[in-house]
Amino acid sequence: MFLSSQNASPCFQDFTLVMPAVAVGNVAQLAVDLIVSTLKMSRVGFIHTDCLIPMAGNNPYTTCKEDAEELHTPAEVYTAAEQKLAVLQIRAPIIQAKSKKFRQLLVSWIKASGFSRTIVLSSSHAYQRDDQQLQSAPVRYLITPSLMKVSGDALKELGWRELEKVAAFPGLTDTSAESRLYIPGGGITKGLYTDGCAEDLPLAVLLLFCSEGDNIPDALTLVNQLNDWLHLLDNPVSSRQEFTACAAKEHQNKSDTVGPV
């Protein structure tokens, strides 16, 4: 259920939605924090659901003493009206038994809100890459047929690589064997992409292979890749400096942004 923090629900018609999958290294969540901080986005509402572990905490984007004690919740929506950009930040783990229910809620909300496209930021275990994935950059994408019609050429011009499918039964020499989409450590990424295809949603996944640890560089890489596509900031050099500054701040808050209710 989406609840507006204002008297009237915001209109998301023609907006791009960016959201994280809760995945390995929290890379996507850190990347979303960088976007919200850098663009100084406004909080317009939150999603209330029993699919997320109930948590709350102080304002992770505080700029002064007055707003430091604002209460923030596990799933909040921010907007930058000039860029026609909305961001859903998910700060709490998804309850495993309710993962499908949460995906259904997200798909229903996305469809009802009228977003022109949805971009899911995610990550996957670097150590489980196959040989072909080891021989290239660590960023991959997936795109639903609905979004492929309008954005497929743009992604090809960027030189991005689509996430490779892997053998369903590794080690077999039968070249006709079925292949599958495999995103270890990616949380709801695969399910959300599959749902997007089934529901004819214009949705893309931007994914980075990574390992647990200091994931600030990974988040910075993911955001800069996204910026190459969406042009959130016009000056690439300036954007890297700003994102790096925000990353340092968010890394300090990464472990204590929220706490159990």
Side-chain angles (χ1 to χ4, degrees):
M1 178 187 299
F2 174 75
L3 302 174
S4 173
S5 59
Q6 304 169 346
N7 293 330
S9 298
C11 176
F12 296 123
Q13 197 71 37
D14 298 326
F15 272 57
T16 294
L17 172 67
V18 175
M19 61 164 288
V22 182
V24 57
N26 295 327
V27 174
Q29 292 158 293
L30 279 171
V32 167
D33 274 342
L34 299 182
I35 294 169
V36 173
S37 295
T38 303
L39 298 180
K40 297 179 173 58
M41 300 179 75
S42 302
R43 181 173 61 165
V44 296
F46 61 94
I47 291 179
H48 177 68
T49 173
D50 63 356
C51 299
L52 298 174
I53 293 177
M55 307 182 79
N58 293 340
N59 184 3
Y61 312 118
T62 181
T63 56
C64 60
K65 184 177 179 180
E66 286 70 21
D67 67 6
E69 296 182 358
E70 287 181 359
L71 187 64
H72 284 247
T73 58
E76 297 183 320
V77 180
Y78 298 80
T79 62
E82 290 185 4
Q83 286 96 340
K84 287 281 187 177
L85 178 71
V87 162
L88 168 63
Q89 175 62 299
I90 302 172
R91 298 189 176 92
I94 301 166
I95 297 173
Q96 187 171 4
K98 297 182 178 182
S99 175
K100 183 177 180 180
K101 178 183 175 182
F102 185 60
R103 295 192 339 252
Q104 292 172 338
L105 181 149
L106 285 176
V107 170
S108 176
W109 174 65
I110 290 169
K111 293 178 71 172
S113 298
F115 292 109
S116 62
R117 58 187 172 184
T118 298
I119 302 171
V120 180
L121 303 181
S122 186
S123 52
S124 183
H125 284 300
Y127 73 88
Q128 294 202 20
R129 286 175 292 177
D130 61 17
D131 289 346
Q132 61 178 336
Q133 291 169 343
L134 284 166
Q135 295 173 6
S136 58
V139 179
R140 292 291 188 276
Y141 77 92
L142 292 166
I143 188 168
T144 62
S146 179
L147 187 57
M148 173 69 80
K149 298 174 184 177
V150 294
S151 298
D153 291 341
L155 297 185
K156 289 180 181 178
E157 288 177 5
L158 289 170
W160 292 2
R161 293 188 61 166
E162 191 169 1
L163 180 64
E164 303 87 349
K165 290 185 177 180
V166 300
F169 304 101
L172 295 182
T173 57
D174 183 3
T175 57
S176 64
E178 182 182 357
S179 59
R180 60 171 178 153
L181 200 59
Y182 185 51
I183 310 177
I188 65 170
T189 305
K190 179 181 175 180
L192 200 54
Y193 170 72
T194 303
D195 293 343
C197 291
E199 295 290 334
D200 198 30
L201 281 180
L203 179 146
V205 173
L206 185 57
L207 175 149
L208 181 79
F209 295 116
C210 73
S211 301
E212 292 281 2
D214 180 358
N215 296 107
I216 288 177
D218 298 318
L220 184 57
T221 296
L222 200 59
V223 170
N224 280 321
Q225 289 281 334
L226 182 65
N227 192 51
D228 287 342
W229 181 16
L230 301 187
H231 305 293
L232 301 176
L233 293 173
D234 294 330
N235 189 329
V237 176
S238 174
S239 70
R240 281 174 173 79
Q241 292 171 347
E242 292 183 49
F243 287 148
T244 302
C246 292
K249 176 183 175 182
E250 295 306 327
H251 181 63
Q252 293 175 354
N253 296 332
K254 182 177 177 182
S255 61
D256 59 2
T257 297
V258 293
V261 173

